[in-house]
């Protein structure tokens, strides 16, 4: 949300990142519990259905993992969950579209947000910041991921120009990663409709959001 409470980027989460869901996500991502992929895929699928509604022909764009994380785990959690849904024919009217990649260090000009629509421009900070994200606050996280994603440029890369796009990630914390993905999708010509995550963190005293089509809906930046 913006400071006035208006929605900048609508996000639907399959659940709150706590208790059983938090343990399941961690076990799946970091502890080799691949069998959890089946149930997590179903949860993600329900969240996608809740986010898409009656939208047709949209692109489901997974947030790319870092090269170091891929080497450590041997897989990208979001891509794997989406492929599970695709194999089962459970993506509905959406299409898995691997349109983004992690970028190298970009110049300020390459990551300029001057061409972004106003609602997305508010998500993107001005300058990059070196270092990891762990332990960083919202503003520092946003600066850290600034310019870290790009559209795939090979001749076989999917063309998302003019197409409605829903970004997919595993966990929403501050929204910085989704904001960067939205920037990259927009620069590639895609129309960012919103995002979906498997789990979303929230302040300890925040009330649970209402359920939507079997998923828990939340709004983040």
């Amino acid at each position: 949300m913006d400071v006035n409470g208006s929605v900048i980027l609508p996000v639907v989460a399959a659940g709150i990142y706590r208790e059983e869901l938090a343990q399941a996500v961690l076990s799946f991502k970091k502890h080799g519990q691949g069998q959890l992929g089946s149930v997590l895929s179903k949860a993600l699928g329900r969240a996608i259905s809740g986010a898409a509604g009656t939208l047709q022909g949209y692109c489901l764009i997974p947030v790319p993992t870092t090269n170091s994380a891929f080497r450590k785990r041997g897989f990208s959690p979001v891509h794997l969950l989406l492929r599970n849904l695709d194999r089962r024919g459970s993506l509905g009217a959406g299409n898995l579209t691997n349109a983004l990649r992690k970028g190298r260090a970009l110049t300020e000009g390459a990551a300029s947000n001057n061409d972004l629509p106003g609602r997305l421009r508010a998500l993107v900070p001005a300058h990059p910041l070196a270092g990891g994200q762990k332990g960083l606050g919202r503003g520092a996280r946003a600066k850290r991921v600034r310019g870290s994603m790009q559209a795939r440029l090979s001749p076989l890369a999917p063309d998302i120009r003019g197409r409605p796009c829903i970004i997919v990630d595993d966990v929403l914390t501050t929204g910085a990663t989704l904001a960067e993905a939205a920037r990259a999708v927009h620069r590639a010509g895609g129309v960012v409709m919103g995002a979906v995550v498997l789990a979303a963190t929230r302040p300890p005293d925040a009330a649970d959001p209402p359920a939507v089509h079997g998923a828990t809906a939340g709004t983040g930046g």
Side-chain angles (χ1 to χ4, degrees), residues 87-154:
R87 284 196 296 268
R88 297 171 184 166
S90 301
L91 288 181
N95 299 297
L96 174 55
T97 309
N98 193 23
L100 296 182
R101 65 181 178 87
K102 281 290 184 180
R104 298 181 183 275
L106 300 182
T107 64
E108 180 64 19
S112 172
N113 66 345
N114 291 333
D115 60 343
L116 294 181
R119 68 182 182 88
L120 294 182
R121 191 177 304 148
L123 291 169
V124 185
H127 301 288
L129 179 71
Q133 288 200 90
K134 188 174 181 180
L136 296 179
R138 182 173 183 173
R141 279 176 177 258
K143 291 177 182 178
R144 173 64 183 88
V145 300
R146 169 76 167 144
S148 65
M149 297 181 205
Q150 300 178 44
R152 293 183 176 276
L153 301 177
S154 73

Side-chain angles (χ1 to χ4, degrees), residues 21-195:
L21 180 56
Q23 289 298 321
V25 172
L26 285 173
S27 295
F28 173 67
K29 290 178 61 177
K30 297 185 178 182
H31 302 303
Q33 300 298 310
Q35 70 274 15
L36 291 170
S38 177
V39 65
L40 292 177
S41 294
K42 293 177 182 178
L44 184 63
R46 289 193 293 270
I48 291 171
S49 296
T54 59
L55 189 64
Q56 298 291 315
Y58 55 92
C59 300
L60 287 166
I61 301 182
V63 170
T65 190
T66 63
N67 291 335
S68 60
F70 187 86
R71 287 192 297 268
K72 183 176 181 180
R73 297 172 185 153
F75 68 99
S76 167
V78 177
H79 287 76
L80 182 57
L81 295 177
L82 287 174
R83 283 196 295 268
N84 285 346
L85 289 172
D86 195 21
R87 284 196 296 268
R88 297 171 184 166
S90 301
L91 288 181
N95 299 297
L96 174 55
T97 309
N98 193 23
L100 296 182
R101 65 181 178 87
K102 281 290 184 180
R104 298 181 183 275
L106 300 182
T107 64
E108 180 64 19
S112 172
N113 66 345
N114 291 333
D115 60 343
L116 294 181
R119 68 182 182 88
L120 294 182
R121 191 177 304 148
L123 291 169
V124 185
H127 301 288
L129 179 71
Q133 288 200 90
K134 188 174 181 180
L136 296 179
R138 182 173 183 173
R141 279 176 177 258
K143 291 177 182 178
R144 173 64 183 88
V145 300
R146 169 76 167 144
S148 65
M149 297 181 205
Q150 300 178 44
R152 293 183 176 276
L153 301 177
S154 73
L156 299 179
D159 185 359
I160 61 174
R161 288 176 295 180
R163 299 187 63 184
C165 299
I166 295 177
I167 299 163
V168 186
D169 202 4
D170 49 8
V171 178
L172 168 66
T173 304
T174 65
T177 300
L178 291 180
E180 169 60 14
R183 181 201 65 80
V185 169
H186 176 79
R187 285 177 64 86
V191 181
V192 181
M193 306 301 294

